[in-house]
Amino acid sequence: MTQSPAGSASAFHELRSSIEGRSEADIHAYVREREGGAGALLDLVFGEMPGAFLPERAGGRELSFQYEIVADGGPWFYFADVRGGACHCGRGTLPDPSVTMTMEIPVFLQVLTGTMAPVRAFLTRRIRVSGDMMAATKFESWFARP
């Protein structure tokens, strides 16, 4: 079974059920109440992304994605770098990313779990994107969801 970006399929579904239908304030509270807060949750998500990467969907493209996720205790900076048919992710910044995305943690989690469409988030300015807009629209499809 392919791992979801939020860990095992059961962890993904637990995350989805914990945020689905909740207000942004409730999602912020959920993140604060998790052991380790936003950093631990984001470390888990980005730690699992390489296992959910589907290289055949990327079609050999090589791109780097920088995330700035606003939550308690930060902005949190994470990256996903797709090179040579593999995806490498981690905490930190890249020197010259192909795409930079900035959003609040509730929006990130809603898009991750499929409870908010990325296009809707972009059109309502919930996600700010700079760089290669075409890559940004396709990136989500490069990963498996349970």
Side-chain angles (χ1 to χ4, degrees), residues 102-104 107 118-128:
T102 304
M103 68 201 85
E104 295 272 339
V107 174
V119 172
R120 177 176 171 243
F122 175 75
L123 292 175
T124 58
R125 299 183 182 185
R126 308 288 304 285
I127 296 177
R128 292 179 305 283

Side-chain angles (χ1 to χ4, degrees), residues 77-145:
F77 295 95
Y78 285 81
F79 66 87
D81 189 36
V82 176
R83 304 260 174 239
C87 179
H88 306 280
C89 298
R91 193 185 282 203
T93 59
L94 297 170
D96 190 24
S98 307
V99 178
T100 300
M101 293 177 266
T102 304
M103 68 201 85
E104 295 272 339
I105 198 163
V107 174
F108 174 77
L109 295 174
Q110 289 167 329
V111 168
L112 174 79
T113 60
T115 59
M116 179 185 288
V119 172
R120 177 176 171 243
F122 175 75
L123 292 175
T124 58
R125 299 183 182 185
R126 308 288 304 285
I127 296 177
R128 292 179 305 283
V129 179
S130 62
D132 185 341
M133 296 296 284
M134 289 304 293
T137 62
K138 297 186 184 311
F139 186 63
E140 177 191 17
S141 69
W142 296 359
F143 295 85
R145 269 197 199 133

Side-chain angles (χ1 to χ4, degrees), residues 66-86:
Q66 182 68 59
Y67 293 84
E68 180 179 345
I69 302 169
V70 180
D72 291 342
W76 298 87
F77 295 95
Y78 285 81
F79 66 87
D81 189 36
V82 176
R83 304 260 174 239

